[in-house]
Amino acid sequence: MVKNLNVLLVEDEKRLASAIKFLFKENKIDCETVFDGKEGYQKALNNEYDVIILDVMLPNLNGLEILSKLRRCGKNTPIIMLTARSTVNDKITGLNLGADDYLPKPFDFDELIARVKALSRRSGFVVMNEISHGDLSLNLSTGELSNKDIKVKLNFKEKEIMKLFFISPDSVITKESLLNKVWGSDSFATDNNVEAYVSFLRKKLKFLKSNLNIKNYQKVGYKLEEEND
Ligand code: CA
């Protein structure tokens, strides 16, 4: 069975968004629509889509900001930017920030579908989905954490925790924040679950002979930092 393409559309013009969604459905493309920039960013960060379509002018977080935040987190899903302001400057900014394509409004719906299909074909070849910090690299698709030639496989939750450390390397991450982001705010997990996973990760860091370790900040949380001994 061929899986439908799976697209995230972040567009605050509700009539346009529902028209696109309808059209996609007729073309066997699954489309999730979000009308708010912040919510769109969260969806894009936490889910896997074949293609993401971002309007530029959006409430709370604009399309260019979403794009740059996603790319900084190592998310390399193909992105098409939509905008009413078809100025050259927007286009250059968008492409510099890592957009894969750009479609000025008003656009032809067939053109949008053609570009979504073209990008999703290409995405099959974008296998590198790696983020690095210090001597470590984390492959977000396979969950493999490596220090040069030494590799270790992380399970899903370990990978999500490590990703959070990599994304905010200078911050102490609270247990509460780890619980919310990795287990979900509606889960019954407790601090003990977080502690257990941190200890699994410490063992794996040791195995990798990494300079980095997860330091405990009493009553606050954890921080991934270099050991100076
Ligand atoms: Ca808009």
Side-chain angles (χ1 to χ4, degrees):
M1 201 178 90
V2 181
K3 196 177 146 278
N4 284 358
L5 286 180
N6 175 25
V7 171
L8 174 68
L9 170 66
V10 190
E11 166 61 83
D12 60 324
E13 287 170 51
K14 295 192 177 168
R15 275 172 60 191
L16 178 62
S18 66
I20 293 173
K21 191 182 168 91
F22 178 78
L23 183 90
F24 277 1
K25 198 175 172 191
E26 300 216 302
N27 285 271
K28 297 199 186 329
I29 298 172
D30 295 335
C31 178
E32 192 169 344
T33 47
V34 178
F35 311 121
D36 172 272
K38 257 193 182 148
E39 196 190 337
Y41 167 68
Q42 289 300 338
K43 286 248 181 221
L45 187 66
N46 296 316
N47 299 284
E48 293 304 324
Y49 298 96
D50 295 306
V51 175
I52 298 169
I53 304 172
L54 296 177
D55 186 27
V56 171
M57 300 296 283
L58 288 168
N60 290 320
L61 201 61
N62 76 44
L64 293 170
E65 289 168 326
I66 299 174
L67 168 68
S68 94
K69 279 166 81 89
L70 288 174
R71 292 304 189 233
R72 267 188 281 141
C73 297
K75 198 86 181 172
N76 60 7
T77 312
I79 291 179
I80 302 177
M81 304 294 305
L82 301 179
T83 183
R85 303 180 301 167
S86 59
T87 62
V88 178
N89 268 348
D90 269 358
K91 178 166 180 168
I92 291 171
T93 311
L95 294 175
N96 277 345
L97 290 172
D100 298 84
D101 205 345
Y102 196 90
L103 207 51
K105 289 177 182 173
F107 50 84
D108 188 72
F109 278 177
D110 289 338
E111 177 74 20
L112 178 62
I113 290 185
R115 295 204 192 187
V116 165
K117 288 185 173 168
L119 277 179
S120 62
R121 270 197 295 275
R122 214 204 59 188
S123 71
F125 298 98
V126 184
V127 285
M128 290 301 287
N129 195 7
E130 257 188 14
I131 52 178
S132 316
H133 179 59
D135 54 12
L136 295 174
S137 298
L138 176 62
N139 185 315
L140 297 173
S141 323
T142 64
E144 209 168 54
L145 183 67
S146 54
N147 175 13
K148 294 172 204 80
D149 295 337
I150 318 175
K151 294 180 197 301
V152 69
K153 173 102 175 156
L154 302 187
N155 67 35
F156 183 77
K157 286 197 168 65
E158 291 171 339
K159 181 188 79 177
E160 291 302 304
I161 294 171
M162 215 44 171
K163 188 168 95 184
L164 291 172
F165 282 128
F166 273 39
I167 292 169
S168 324
D170 302 319
S171 332
V172 174
I173 302 181
T174 63
K175 286 180 186 171
E176 193 188 0
S177 159
L178 288 171
L179 275 172
N180 281 332
K181 288 181 177 152
V182 179
W183 279 263
S185 48
D186 52 353
S187 111
F188 293 106
T190 66
D191 284 1
N192 291 339
N193 299 73
V194 178
E195 282 157 22
Y197 272 85
V198 165
S199 90
F200 301 153
L201 282 169
R202 282 185 178 135
K203 284 186 187 126
K204 291 187 171 177
L205 290 172
K206 203 166 184 181
F207 173 81
L208 290 169
K209 300 186 167 54
S210 173
N211 294 329
L212 296 164
N213 204 351
I214 300 170
K215 204 176 158 196
N216 212 350
Y217 282 78
Q218 280 304 332
K219 296 196 167 52
V220 189
Y222 302 102
K223 188 173 163 187
L224 184 65
E225 53 183 40
E226 240 170 79
E227 299 210 291
N228 314 305
D229 56 4

